[in-house]
Amino acid sequence: MTRMVTVNLKINGKQYSEEAEPRLLLVHFIRDALKLKGTHIGCDTGHCGACTILWDGKPVKSCQILAVQAEGANIMTVEGLEPEDGKLSIEQESFRENFAQQCGYCTPGFLMMTRYLIRNNEEMTREEIREKLHGNYCMCTGYQQIVDAVQDAQRKYFATKK
Amino acid sequence: MYPKSFEYLRAKSVDQALQYLKDNEGSRVIAGGQSLLPMLKSRLYQPTVLVDINFIPELREVKLGSNGDLRIGAMVTHYDVIENSTIRENAPILSSTAENIADVQIRNRGTIGGSICEADPSADYLPTLMALDARVVLKTTESSREVKVEDFIQGPFETLAEDGEMLVEVIVPPSKANYRVEKYARRKADFAIASVAAIVSLSKDGKVVDARIATGAQQDKPHRLREIESALKGKASKSVNLEAIIGPATEELEPLDDLHGGPEYRKHVLRGMLSRMLGDLLSGKEA
Ligand SMILES: Cc1cc2nc3c(=O)[nH]c(=O)nc-3n(C[C@H](O)[C@H](O)[C@H](O)COP(=O)(O)OP(=O)(O)OC[C@H]3O[C@@H](n4cnc5c(N)ncnc54)[C@H](O)[C@@H]3O)c2cc1C
Ligand code: FES
Ligand code: FES
């Protein structure tokens, strides 16, 4: 049996300290050890983006990182988006209003990308949004409504800054 | 998919990482993990120990050497290569290259050192670094050496790095000359079917002073196209017949054959890219 390693990290503002086997993927750690099931696993090869989380504010794919590497990390998962219980964040609201999800499997990844993109870019064109989302696959929507939702979310976000 | 079990060691300094590598047979470095994780999951690699170099601040530095050379730490991410102003000013072609790699998420995690050590024949950095005449600094507990990227890459997933040796720095001689760097792939996040990095400087009267051109995703490793370079050097840019140069110079290439593209197709794409990109550079069009 390989030596277990204690991982201390912050997720959605809460501090955790858990043991992990070195080969455990961060996405499994988040889902199975910490029971945060919002982050999905689509491909497990780094292609689909369903497992996207924010790590120190930047999106990364949690199936491509070992849990033990997250020591000291400050992580946000889709559960962390809600400003308070029962309310939707700007990103969630925009996805809902624009019908940007069908089965919803890809949605957590797209929401985390949206959170990052609308805050870290000037107003994006549709072309730019597509370009920045090419690490996220959606098998249902055809992407049109997702691009609508991201544009809408950015408008809403900018409006809160005025 | 689970990797085979391994021990995990978190290095806090370069010296500690080198010591860990030396003390543990069958150990391997983990950088961004963006190439390594798939290799571990598919069990193509089964290291006994992983030495994590993510917690070593000095490997994330970008500096200018006293002679003007850029010194880029092994753990500088693709994202940083795009954003870092020192890199942008001194080797803009390198920043443009990083924009072509994978997607936003992978660029936040993947590193320049990891990409070089992976030695994928289609990796985007390699042709650019070869065109820039870049070198890598390799260290063990006892030694330190500098090797040209062109020599360091031996073949698909093969480098000159020996057991216990770690890439710590990439040295890039500055280049502000006009350039083009492009990759052709079916989807943007895919590895290239053909890629070209070209740096061309023209004199005031339109002569080609310097031409450095490299291609990737063609053979078992990226390489310079020296026949084309020497055919261009010294010529008046207006009088060059590119088609007459590119055809014969690429005749001998035996491109890769895989599910992304067959050899004829890859060569056809390469020739098209060369003719358009070099045409632009010879006419002096800025990027
Ligand atoms: C979906 C996907 C799409 C991608 N698309 C592209 C693309 O379009 N273009 C492209 O160029 N790349 C692409 N990549 C690869 C990506 O750029 C990786 O980031 C890069 O190849 C490896 O860097 P890393 O830091 O993740 O290295 P790791 O995966 O950590 O390491 C790679 C290898 O190098 C060794 N190593 C790493 N660092 C060192 C060091 N300092 N010293 C000695 N050995 C070391 C490791 O042991 C391992 O064998 C893609 C990857 C994925 C998953
Ligand atoms: S599950 Fe991580 S990218 Fe698909
Ligand atoms: S909504 Fe089904 S995969 Fe995107």
Side-chain angles (χ1 to χ4, degrees):
Chain A
M1 184 62 199
T2 42
R3 199 168 45 90
M4 301 288 274
V5 178
T6 307
V7 188
N8 304 289
L9 78 177
K10 211 186 224 178
I11 301 190
N12 304 328
K14 193 173 157 205
Q15 190 69 40
Y16 293 87
S17 182
E18 288 281 333
E19 299 244 290
E21 200 189 335
R23 65 174 170 165
L24 185 69
L25 303 178
L26 182 55
V27 67
H28 293 300
F29 182 74
I30 291 172
R31 287 178 53 85
D32 301 336
L34 308 182
K35 306 283 183 229
L36 294 166
K37 301 280 188 182
T39 305
H40 289 173
I41 307 168
C43 63
D44 201 357
T45 59
H47 288 86
C48 78
C51 65
T52 300
I53 57 168
L54 300 188
W55 172 301
D56 295 336
K58 290 208 206 104
V60 295
K61 293 176 170 176
S62 59
C63 74
Q64 288 277 85
I65 301 176
L66 300 169
V68 289
Q69 297 188 279
E71 175 68 25
N74 187 2
I75 286 170
M76 185 187 207
T77 66
V78 70
E79 289 89 347
L81 283 180
E82 283 180 40
E84 56 193 87
D85 267 359
K87 279 199 95 183
L88 295 182
S89 68
I90 285 175
E91 298 81 7
Q92 293 165 314
E93 193 62 44
S94 305
F95 269 63
R96 192 176 73 92
E97 287 172 0
N98 289 279
F99 302 96
Q101 65 184 76
Q102 288 178 28
C103 79
Y105 201 84
C106 67
T107 311
F110 278 102
L111 285 173
M112 299 320 285
M113 286 304 287
T114 307
R115 164 63 58 119
Y116 170 75
L117 292 175
I118 63 174
R119 283 167 170 72
N120 291 282
N121 288 285
E122 307 283 313
E123 194 175 328
M124 294 176 285
T125 64
R126 297 185 74 81
E127 215 30 62
E128 280 163 356
I129 293 171
R130 283 180 176 273
E131 159 94 25
K132 291 177 198 297
L133 287 178
H134 70 225
N136 294 70
Y137 293 179
C138 174
M139 297 288 127
C140 302
T141 63
Y143 300 100
Q144 205 65 25
Q145 297 94 318
I146 292 178
V147 178
D148 293 341
V150 176
Q151 273 193 314
D152 191 23
Q154 192 166 38
R155 262 181 242 121
K156 288 192 173 109
Y157 173 68
F158 285 159
T160 66
K161 300 271 113 183
K162 285 218 177 96
Chain B
M1 288 184 284
Y2 272 92
K4 197 166 186 294
S5 292
F6 49 79
E7 296 284 340
Y8 171 81
L9 296 174
R10 197 178 285 141
K12 295 284 165 60
S13 67
V14 169
D15 287 342
Q16 192 178 35
L18 294 172
Q19 197 61 45
Y20 283 156
L21 290 172
K22 184 185 176 179
D23 293 345
N24 294 282
E25 213 188 305
S27 58
R28 187 178 271 282
V29 167
I30 179 163
Q34 302 303 294
S35 296
L36 185 56
L37 262 283
M39 294 294 223
L40 295 177
K41 289 178 192 171
S42 61
R43 304 201 172 195
L44 280 169
Y45 290 160
Q46 305 192 351
T48 53
V49 174
L50 276 191
V51 177
D52 192 349
I53 58 172
N54 279 273
F55 295 80
I56 308 177
E58 62 174 288
L59 292 180
R60 304 213 181 252
E61 288 174 6
V62 176
K63 290 178 291 197
L64 269 188
S66 49
N67 62 350
D69 281 354
L70 259 178
R71 305 186 75 101
I72 304 173
M75 290 301 291
V76 169
T77 61
H78 310 332
Y79 173 87
D80 292 331
V81 172
I82 297 172
E83 297 292 326
N84 184 281
S85 56
T86 311
I87 300 179
R88 264 206 178 275
E89 276 159 32
N90 292 282
I93 187 175
L94 194 59
S95 303
S96 300
T97 304
E99 290 172 2
N100 292 341
I101 300 175
D103 54 50
V104 171
Q105 295 98 314
I106 288 169
R107 291 199 293 268
N108 279 334
R109 193 79 195 155
T111 67
I112 189 166
S115 180
I116 298 171
C117 290
E118 179 70 8
D120 190 301
S122 302
D124 290 305
Y125 281 132
L126 298 179
T128 297
L129 291 170
M130 288 178 183
L132 285 165
D133 287 317
R135 313 185 295 281
V136 291
V137 179
L138 304 168
K139 280 193 176 163
T140 66
T141 48
E142 283 92 38
S143 66
S144 173
R145 59 174 175 149
E146 267 182 46
V147 182
K148 287 181 77 169
V149 172
E150 211 179 339
D151 301 327
F152 182 65
I153 307 297
Q154 291 284 295
F157 312 104
E158 255 186 66
T159 68
L160 280 185
E162 291 180 11
D163 281 351
E165 207 166 31
M166 194 170 104
L167 191 161
V168 293
E169 231 179 2
V170 188
I171 303 181
V172 180
S175 168
K176 297 175 189 176
N178 203 4
Y179 69 88
R180 288 291 186 282
V181 59
E182 279 185 26
K183 110 187 206 188
Y184 178 79
R186 294 288 174 84
R187 291 169 306 188
K188 255 216 101 187
D190 286 353
F191 275 102
I193 287 170
S195 63
V196 174
I199 303 173
V200 172
S201 7
L202 303 178
S203 64
K204 284 224 168 60
D205 58 351
K207 276 215 176 67
V208 179
V209 183
D210 191 19
R212 288 180 277 151
I213 306 158
T215 179
Q218 291 291 319
Q219 319 238 69
D220 57 354
K221 56 178 183 173
H223 58 102
R224 289 277 286 265
L225 293 165
R226 292 218 158 73
E227 224 180 298
I228 303 183
E229 294 178 3
S230 44
L232 293 180
K233 270 185 228 167
K235 297 275 158 52
S237 58
K238 298 245 155 45
S239 71
V240 172
N241 179 351
L242 273 176
E243 305 315 314
I245 298 172
I246 293 169
T250 49
E251 198 53 51
E252 305 284 297
L253 284 182
E254 287 174 23
L256 304 167
D257 190 2
D258 65 18
L259 79 173
H260 299 294
E264 277 314 305
Y265 176 56
R266 280 177 196 265
K267 195 185 282 191
H268 182 74
V269 172
L270 172 68
R271 285 173 168 164
M273 290 170 78
L274 282 170
S275 128
R276 181 171 40 75
M277 293 164 70
L278 294 177
D280 277 357
L281 286 170
L282 291 175
S283 70
K285 254 191 250 165
E286 292 292 327

